[in-house]
Amino acid sequence: MVLSHQARKDGGGRFALPPSLRLPTFLYLVASLGLIAIVAVVALTPWASLPSSVLLLQTLFLALAAIAGEVRPIMLPGQNFEERTLSTSAPFVLALVALAGTGAAVVVQIIASIADDVRHRRPLQKSLFNTSQYALSVVAASAVYTGLTGRHFLAAPGEVTPRDLMYLLIAGIAMIAVNWLLVGGVVAIATSYPLATVLRQDSRDFLVTNVVLLSVGGIAALVAVDGVPALLLLMAPVIAAHMFAAAAARHAHDATHDSLTSLGNRGQLHYTLERALQDAAQAKSDGPGLILLDLDHFKDINDALGHPVGDRILVEVARRLSEAASENATVHRLGGDEFAVVLDGGLADTKQVAHDLIGCFDKPVTVENLELLVRASVGVAVAPDHGATSAELMKNADIALYQAKVERDRISTYSADLDVNSVERLQILADLRTALDNREMHLVYQPQFDLDEGCIRGVEALIRWDHPERGLVPPDSFVGLAENSGLIFPLTAYVLDSALAQLAQWRRDGHQLRLAVNLSARHLSDLALPDQVWEIAARHGVPLTSLVLEVTETGILSDPVRADVVIRSLRELGVEISIDDYGTGNASLNYLKRLEIDELKIDRSFVSNLLTDEHDRIIVHSTIELALNLGLRVVAEGIEDQETTDLLRHHGGVIGQGFHLGRPLSVADMTAKLEADARGGGDSVPARALGKKAKAARPGTASKAVS
Ligand code: C2E
Ligand code: MG
Ligand code: MG
């Protein structure tokens, strides 16, 4: 009725019950003493004489008020993000001690306590402890009151006079003190904090508030003789306290909880983690464990189905995570699709909970008749091995999560080995976020030659990053990172915008070219991509028929159904689709038939070995045959020497790309090359390489304009 220590998970329990050797002993001791006291009081109270000597209606009223006060406690805005409850049953039970005697007060208190335990579905042993310690508190109060007033401990009480007010207040303080010590004892044993520390934590607010409440009890006992209306008037301050405290608690809750899912927010996580670290240090045990969880490709779901659906999925995810988390774990939402779980336990426990959390997504989430399979990746870090402070744990769980995403493992536990590599990559990722804004990115263009005609047919736009400290970072070391972090979307938007603007300029200068832009796998499940491409091309006034989007086999196969939809929509706009790095994925020939595509780019690993490896030669030749017979354009990439050029040119119908024909060039150099190409090629390498005078591509090859 007095002290309420927040239980970790349900927020309403009165104490947490971690395993400890001393704990059961203490619990059983209190329970036994309490039960003995209850049995003795109930057995010895002269119940028959009570109705004639107590004010029945008033007793009933106070009993109901006591039960209501226990079941609907005041929510206190806690310090440091902690939610605490304050029961208001104490003053009414105290009034009952004076008005109806020890027996009635004990019975009412037991009913109130059990009602509250049932409401919170507390385990039997917790309930037994609660009931016993409350009974002992009331017995203590009664003993003090009857001792001071000289009345009989168990007999029906006499009239309450103003003089008794002081005695009742002292009795009330005894009641609080016993309750405070017993609950404090459990918490101290369970958390290994010194009893004095635990008691001090509660002393300020709780004792002061309770003494104020107890004075209401004294007055209730005094005015009861004037009837129930007088008691009703006394309820007003108690109800007002409820309302004010509830409003304050709501504000405090809002500040520390996520409004969508009602889970604790980032600030709350920090506090929970700090607190758990202190607890584990006190108990000299391993832990706590920190689990960071991030949904895979949630942005795609949001984009495709809209934010309201995304929100409903997040709410469902929060519900499942809270259900799957164990008793000693708390779930938080860090924002977006990121969640964090703090757990009192070591590595094995934390890994088990991580598995349970991932397991809760086995069943699809149903929203608006859609069954969506939600996937998540998890990073685990456990104190003290993976960090002794909350900041270290956060950083290392983040590294582990990042590793899980990159390696496509669903759960990854931090290890120092991950660190060197991952910190470096995380740093690149962090820099990448600003690089796009800081104009550190630019494009280079690699020409693609019609080997038969000897002229430039197109260019492939390739991204370059001039890092202020690292120098030139090759795309292979950041495109994968961008894909996994979602940064690929702004990155591709930048590439498309920049490359199409340049294409528009070249077209104005009279160069009719195809422009190839690389897409990542994630774009193929982005249903918004076709509209976005259309909008950028329209803005620059270039026909979409001059745009070739390069995708990989792996990209298509990672989500074939969506990829099909996206590719179809793009082709309907006039965009051409090319399969990049053809031959390196695991795709079957079947998709060549099923998918409508326009171009195959044979991977350079086959092309560069053309002269030395018989198998590669056969593969390249038969692939060219196959593609041409299917009506597809063929690009051979990675041509590095004259012999390879000759071999491919003799085959006929092949577009060539490679260092021997032209390296990726800056805009200025590419423009100069196009000018030279248009003038007839001069002494340029390709002109010699292709064995004839290069000619400019004829204008007007592009047909469908963006309207
Ligand atoms: P990719 O799309 O297959 O691009 C061709 C890569 O091969 C380019 O490397 C190019 O410089 C290189 N290359 C061209 N000819 C030769 C040759 O004769 N020999 C050799 N050894 N290499 C040659 P780069 O620019 O480093 O790009 C590497 C990969 O990065 C690209 O492979 C592509 O997958 C990705 N990438 C580049 N730019 C972008 C972009 O804007 N967006 C996306 N999503 N990915 C990009
Ligand atoms: Mg490419
Ligand atoms: Mg390629």
Side-chain angles (χ1 to χ4, degrees):
M1 85 191 104
V2 180
L3 290 176
S4 294
H5 292 277
Q6 189 213 8
R8 276 283 148 74
K9 202 170 171 209
D10 65 16
R14 275 164 282 183
F15 65 94
L17 203 62
S20 152
L21 280 178
R22 289 183 301 158
L23 197 58
T25 321
F26 184 74
L27 291 175
Y28 286 121
L29 194 71
V30 173
S32 314
L33 280 176
L35 286 180
I36 292 170
I38 292 169
V39 170
V41 167
V42 172
L44 298 174
T45 297
W47 295 105
S49 65
L50 282 189
S52 57
S53 49
V54 303
L55 304 163
L56 272 183
L57 267 183
Q58 287 86 331
T59 300
L60 196 64
F61 180 89
L62 290 172
L64 288 176
I67 294 167
E70 189 69 42
V71 177
R72 299 296 302 267
I74 294 182
M75 301 295 299
L76 288 184
Q79 291 172 323
N80 302 328
F81 303 104
E82 200 149 298
E83 271 168 23
R84 308 205 292 183
T85 54
L86 175 68
S87 146
T88 52
S89 64
F92 304 111
V93 172
L94 191 64
L96 282 171
V97 167
L99 272 185
T102 314
V106 167
V107 169
V108 167
Q109 181 60 74
I110 292 171
I111 295 172
S113 172
I114 292 175
D116 188 45
D117 289 338
V118 169
R119 186 168 166 259
H120 285 104
R121 298 205 186 108
R122 295 198 180 101
L124 188 66
Q125 74 209 75
K126 273 190 189 181
S127 182
L128 199 63
F129 173 83
N130 287 336
T131 310
S132 302
Q133 60 96 357
Y134 279 150
L136 289 173
S137 309
V138 179
V139 166
S142 238
V144 170
Y145 180 67
T146 49
L148 288 172
T149 52
R151 296 169 199 226
H152 192 279
F153 180 65
L154 288 168
E159 195 191 332
V160 182
T161 66
R163 226 171 57 109
D164 298 330
L165 273 183
M166 187 48 72
Y167 301 143
L168 256 184
L169 195 61
I170 297 170
I173 290 171
M175 178 160 71
I176 293 166
V178 171
N179 176 281
W180 189 42
L181 280 169
L182 293 179
V183 178
V186 174
V187 175
I189 295 173
T191 60
S192 303
Y193 275 97
L195 181 61
T197 312
V198 173
L199 295 181
R200 229 189 353 260
Q201 269 179 1
D202 277 311
S203 61
R204 272 160 260 135
D205 304 354
F206 273 68
L207 287 186
V208 171
T209 325
N210 270 294
V211 170
V212 173
L213 273 177
L214 286 178
S215 49
V216 174
I219 298 170
L222 196 65
V223 301
V225 68
D226 299 324
V228 172
L231 287 177
L232 264 175
L233 279 179
L234 256 188
M235 295 301 290
V238 178
I239 292 169
H242 257 280
M243 284 166 54
F244 282 126
R250 251 196 325 276
H251 291 311
H253 184 275
D254 290 351
T256 55
H257 287 74
D258 165 44
S259 57
L260 180 67
T261 60
S262 295
L263 293 177
N265 61 15
R266 194 177 277 276
Q268 171 87 15
L269 168 72
H270 180 71
Y271 173 71
T272 314
L273 203 49
E274 288 287 339
R275 182 77 192 257
L277 278 164
Q278 281 172 22
D279 289 352
Q282 282 286 336
K284 296 194 173 46
S285 61
D286 274 3
L290 174 65
I291 300 170
L292 291 186
L293 183 143
D294 189 287
L295 302 184
D296 295 340
H297 306 322
F298 184 69
K299 181 189 177 297
D300 298 347
I301 297 181
N302 242 349
D303 287 350
L305 303 173
H307 286 262
V309 173
D311 283 357
R312 282 166 58 190
I313 293 172
L314 288 173
V315 170
E316 171 63 11
V317 166
R319 194 192 63 76
R320 288 194 189 182
L321 291 178
S322 305
E323 219 173 75
S326 54
E327 266 273 319
N328 53 344
T330 34
V331 185
H332 305 77
R333 177 173 172 229
L334 302 184
D337 57 355
E338 266 190 296
F339 295 83
V341 176
V342 179
L343 174 108
D344 295 328
L347 185 61
D349 289 348
T350 311
K351 280 185 171 176
Q352 182 55 52
V353 172
H355 273 104
D356 295 346
L357 294 177
I358 286 281
C360 79
F361 299 120
D362 286 349
K363 244 180 61 197
V365 175
T366 310
V367 203
E368 291 179 354
N369 298 329
L370 281 175
E371 294 226 317
L372 297 163
L373 212 52
V374 177
R375 296 248 164 247
S377 306
V378 157
V380 169
V382 182
D385 289 356
H386 306 153
T389 63
S390 63
E392 262 173 23
L393 279 178
M394 283 296 284
K395 189 189 99 190
N396 291 340
D398 216 21
I399 289 174
L401 171 63
Y402 163 73
Q403 188 71 16
K405 290 252 170 204
V406 172
E407 303 300 329
R408 308 228 177 257
D409 278 342
R410 301 184 64 198
I411 299 177
S412 161
T413 303
Y414 174 78
S415 101
D417 300 341
L418 296 180
D419 211 4
V420 186
N421 212 349
S422 303
V423 162
E424 165 89 5
R425 291 201 273 181
L426 273 182
Q427 194 56 53
I428 292 188
L429 194 60
D431 293 351
L432 192 58
R433 285 180 211 277
T434 45
L436 283 165
D437 303 332
N438 292 355
R439 300 176 153 268
E440 287 167 23
M441 300 282 178
H442 71 270
L443 296 181
V444 290
Y445 297 89
Q446 188 175 26
Q448 297 179 331
F449 287 89
D450 181 330
L451 297 185
D452 299 337
E453 299 275 322
C455 59
I456 299 177
R457 281 278 184 242
V459 289
E460 178 178 5
L462 295 162
I463 190 132
R464 293 291 177 263
W465 180 8
D466 302 305
H467 193 286
E469 284 130 36
R470 295 167 195 269
L472 198 72
V473 183
D476 287 333
S477 30
F478 66 87
V479 169
L481 292 181
E483 282 178 18
N484 283 306
S485 65
L487 278 178
I488 194 69
F489 293 102
L491 188 140
T492 302
Y494 162 78
V495 174
L496 279 170
D497 190 58
S498 204
L500 285 169
Q502 186 54 51
L503 183 68
Q505 182 57 50
W506 281 328
R507 285 173 62 84
R508 282 195 291 277
D509 296 344
H511 306 297
Q512 301 301 324
L513 294 166
R514 272 193 299 267
L515 167 74
V517 168
N518 293 283
L519 287 188
S520 96
R522 293 191 63 177
H523 294 298
L524 291 180
S525 49
D526 180 7
L527 299 176
L529 180 74
D531 278 353
Q532 190 193 3
V533 169
W534 183 88
E535 186 275 319
I536 298 175
R539 185 149 36 83
H540 295 297
V542 276
L544 278 171
T545 42
S546 26
L547 180 64
V548 182
L549 291 178
E550 296 189 4
V551 301
T552 60
E553 297 162 70
T554 340
I556 294 173
L557 292 179
S558 63
D559 186 353
V561 179
R562 285 244 221 136
D564 224 14
V565 176
V566 173
I567 287 176
R568 265 176 217 281
S569 317
L570 285 167
R571 291 191 80 243
E572 272 166 22
L573 294 175
V575 176
E576 291 190 331
I577 301 295
S578 170
I579 307 292
D580 200 357
D581 306 339
Y582 181 73
T584 55
N586 302 318
S588 71
L589 286 176
N590 194 30
Y591 82 76
L592 281 185
K593 194 177 84 177
R594 189 175 50 81
L595 266 182
E596 293 180 28
I597 52 162
D598 304 275
E599 180 183 286
L600 280 192
K601 281 187 89 171
I602 305 175
D603 190 64
R604 65 170 184 262
S605 59
F606 300 104
V607 176
S608 56
N609 291 337
L610 209 55
L611 301 172
T612 50
D613 190 317
E614 179 63 17
H615 284 122
D616 281 354
R617 186 156 53 221
I618 294 171
I619 290 172
V620 170
H621 277 289
S622 48
T623 307
I624 295 172
E625 279 303 311
L626 173 79
L628 293 177
N629 285 332
L630 283 172
L632 304 177
R633 189 167 54 236
V634 187
V635 180
E637 61 178 1
I639 300 177
E640 291 185 342
D641 51 53
Q642 184 62 44
E643 289 81 355
T644 310
T645 315
D646 291 341
L647 248 172
L648 290 165
R649 186 152 51 96
H650 286 129
H651 192 288
V654 178
I655 305 286
Q657 181 179 349
F659 288 173
H660 184 63
L661 301 174
R663 288 189 173 257
L665 297 172
S666 67
V667 169
D669 289 346
M670 189 68 224
T671 307
K673 197 173 187 69
L674 287 171
E675 299 291 339
D677 193 62
R679 284 196 306 270
D683 197 29
S684 65
V685 174
R688 278 183 274 119
L690 297 170
K692 54 168 133 178
K693 285 246 167 203
K695 304 180 284 202
R698 283 173 301 280
T701 37
S703 52
K704 202 155 128 195
V706 179
S707 52

